[in-house]
Amino acid sequence: MAGRFSINQATIKHATLVDAVTVIAEAGLSSIGVWREPLGEVGARAGRRIIDDAGLSVSSLCRGGFFTAEEGNARTTALDDNRRALDEAATIGAPALVLVAGGLPDGSRDLIGARERVRDAVGDLADHADQVGVTLAIEPLHPMYAADRAVINTLAQALEIAESVGPAAGIVVDTFHVWWDPAVLDVISRAAGRIASYQVCDWILPLPADVLLGRGMMGDGFINFEPITRAVAEAGYNGDVEVEIFNEDVWNRNPTDVVRTCASRFETLIHPFLTTHAT
């Protein structure tokens, strides 16, 4: 099994942290992308022990963010929750906390203002991120999620925020969200030193009624992984590559079979193009 391959827990969503760690370790992998909800069921310290005992490392913690509320209790609560998430990431040894910006507040059409509040919130968290040694990893989501989930929709927008905040912030390159962008390869090149996470899955059709669950197994859809992967490698990213799939059919399969399929697809579609910075 090639190195640098991580299974994000979202890909085997119905598995507990213990079960996910067991399946991933038994498959011969070395890394897991952790989600806060299953981690919260056992606690961060216990989660760290579970992961360490299996001989795994952590590629990222998902997720923080949801920063678009205007000033008031909701915004304060969101910032406090993100500080806790940074602490959790540090406890389990995650190098990055993945941030989903949040959609438009109820009744709002002020997309520009919402994006400004995301930038301000990431800036507000920078000192805490520095203190605990975790990167604030800003993930742009496909524009179809702009209203309800993420007002940051291109790598260029995410990179601009990261650069304005400083070294505590970076970006997430997720193929599902960025493959369509004609500027994606150029922005990845400009993001050298800022890529905090690389996540892969495929764009499949037809999209389901709940478009959040429209991600497919690599090779089942329309994404050409070679140019994006080469660009990420040439930009100096040498971290793990996470497979992150939100899909009911995948979730309902046996987790062991899902991990094996992911590993096979990774070997043929992703790993050959990481050779520039392979470890």
Side-chain angles (χ1 to χ4, degrees), residues 76 125 161 212:
T76 299
L125 294 169
I161 294 173
L212 183 65

Side-chain angles (χ1 to χ4, degrees), residues 56-212:
L56 300 182
S57 61
V58 178
S59 50
S60 74
L61 178 64
C62 294
R63 67 194 175 200
F66 297 91
F67 297 129
T68 53
E70 297 180 0
E71 293 299 330
N73 290 337
R75 185 169 180 81
T76 299
T77 298
L79 289 170
D80 288 344
D81 184 60
N82 276 271
R83 293 185 183 96
R84 287 192 294 273
L86 286 165
D87 293 340
E88 293 165 9
T91 298
I92 65 172
L97 173 66
V98 175
L99 304 179
V100 174
L104 289 172
D106 289 344
S108 174
R109 294 181 174 84
D110 183 9
L111 188 58
I112 294 173
R115 287 172 173 158
E116 290 174 348
R117 290 192 293 276
V118 173
R119 178 200 61 212
D120 293 344
V122 177
D124 288 344
L125 294 169
D127 284 346
H128 195 90
D130 274 333
Q131 290 169 11
V132 299
V134 174
T135 299
L136 295 159
I138 306 161
E139 180 175 14
L141 269 58
H142 189 280
M144 66 181 172
Y145 300 112
D148 67 341
R149 188 161 295 272
V151 298
I152 303 302
N153 307 113
T154 67
L155 274 181
Q157 290 170 340
L159 181 59
E160 186 277 329
I161 294 173
E163 289 175 337
S164 72
V165 167
I171 64 171
V172 179
V173 179
D174 184 322
T175 55
F176 179 83
H177 295 302
V178 305
W179 75 281
W180 60 274
D181 186 348
V184 65
L185 300 182
D186 176 64
V187 178
I188 290 173
S189 178
R190 291 194 286 112
R194 289 281 183 181
I195 300 174
S197 178
Y198 181 36
Q199 298 179 335
V200 296
C201 66
D202 216 334
W203 182 280
I204 56 174
L205 291 177
L207 290 174
D210 183 352
V211 292
L212 183 65

Side-chain angles (χ1 to χ4, degrees), residues 1-6 198 200 218 225-226 229-230 233 239-241 243 262-279:
M1 174 58 59
R4 300 188 59 189
F5 173 41
S6 177
Y198 181 36
V200 296
M218 298 85 69
F225 294 95
E226 178 178 352
T229 303
R230 285 192 185 278
D240 292 322
V241 181
V243 176
C262 289
S264 175
R265 302 292 178 91
F266 175 85
E267 286 291 324
T268 58
L269 296 172
I270 309 296
H271 187 255
F273 312 116
L274 290 169
T275 53
T276 300
H277 294 277
T279 57

Side-chain angles (χ1 to χ4, degrees), residues 8-25:
N8 185 289
Q9 269 191 283
T11 304
I12 47 175
K13 179 181 174 68
H14 298 317
T16 65
L17 179 62
V18 171
D19 290 342
V21 163
T22 300
V23 167
I24 291 168

